[in-house]
Amino acid sequence: MEWVLPDPFVIDIHVADEAIDAYQHVNNSEYLRWVEQSSWAHSEALGLSLDRYRQLDRAMVVHRHELDYLAPAFAGDELQLATWIVECDGRFSLTRRFQLVRVSDAKTLLYARTRFACVALSTGRPKRLPDEYQRIYGDAVIEEPSAAR
């Protein structure tokens, strides 16, 4: 697969019939659901599970989603969704990029970007990234070429 950035974290997706809308292609809400699944899978692979979030009383909540739909996906399609952490300010936020590709023809169907903000789970109020988040997420940052931003 040709990815826009090096060393992606990738999940495989099989498009189920339930993902199809009245237009006979994947409903746009499914793409957002897959972005969330990919984010969690990557965080867990890095060692930050939901249980660890709870222990640290922190959460990374969505501040902004940007989704660019380039082409539709259909029932039965096999897809790969890549994610990268492209920014971690070491204080309150991090940003991920995503690329969704159909395996059969290597066509990119979606580009997305999500900015997350750190909050205390107990209060929902903004909180600094714990040292563990800074280290783990910071070490995972992939530099974006300026043209790719």
Side-chain angles (χ1 to χ4, degrees):
M1 214 51 72
E2 189 170 324
W3 302 110
V4 293
L5 294 171
D7 303 319
F9 176 85
V10 178
I11 63 169
D12 295 317
I13 298 167
H14 172 79
V15 179
D17 291 340
E18 300 79 43
I20 305 304
D21 65 16
Y23 296 124
Q24 299 306 304
H25 58 67
V26 172
N27 185 277
N28 61 352
S29 65
E30 289 295 310
Y31 294 91
L32 188 57
R33 190 174 67 79
W34 295 335
V35 161
E36 180 183 15
Q37 284 178 343
S38 174
S39 297
W40 272 115
H42 188 212
S43 288
E44 288 178 2
L46 292 171
L48 291 172
S49 66
L50 181 57
D51 285 340
R52 189 65 185 135
Y53 272 47
R54 287 178 178 141
Q55 291 167 2
L56 295 170
D57 187 36
R58 294 292 190 283
M60 298 305 296
V61 298
V62 172
H63 176 258
R64 178 183 176 89
H65 281 301
E66 297 174 34
L67 288 87
D68 296 318
Y69 301 96
L70 306 175
F74 302 97
D77 279 351
E78 300 295 333
L79 311 175
Q80 289 192 317
L81 180 58
T83 189
W84 303 264
I85 297 172
V86 294
E87 295 175 30
C88 181
D89 71 3
R91 296 183 346 253
F92 297 104
S93 69
L94 68 88
T95 302
R96 287 181 174 278
R97 282 195 54 193
F98 303 86
Q99 180 183 1
L100 181 68
V101 174
R102 183 172 35 237
V103 174
S104 64
D105 59 3
K107 182 164 184 66
T108 296
L109 307 180
L110 173 96
Y111 287 118
R113 178 183 293 269
T114 301
R115 184 168 188 257
F116 296 88
C118 188
V119 299
L121 276 169
S122 58
T123 65
R125 297 183 59 92
K127 281 288 211 192
R128 288 188 70 85
L129 290 163
D131 290 343
E132 186 173 346
Y133 284 25
Q134 290 178 42
R135 181 179 47 77
I136 291 173
Y137 286 134
D139 287 350
V141 170
I142 300 290
E143 289 293 321
E144 287 183 285
S146 58
R149 292 180 188 183

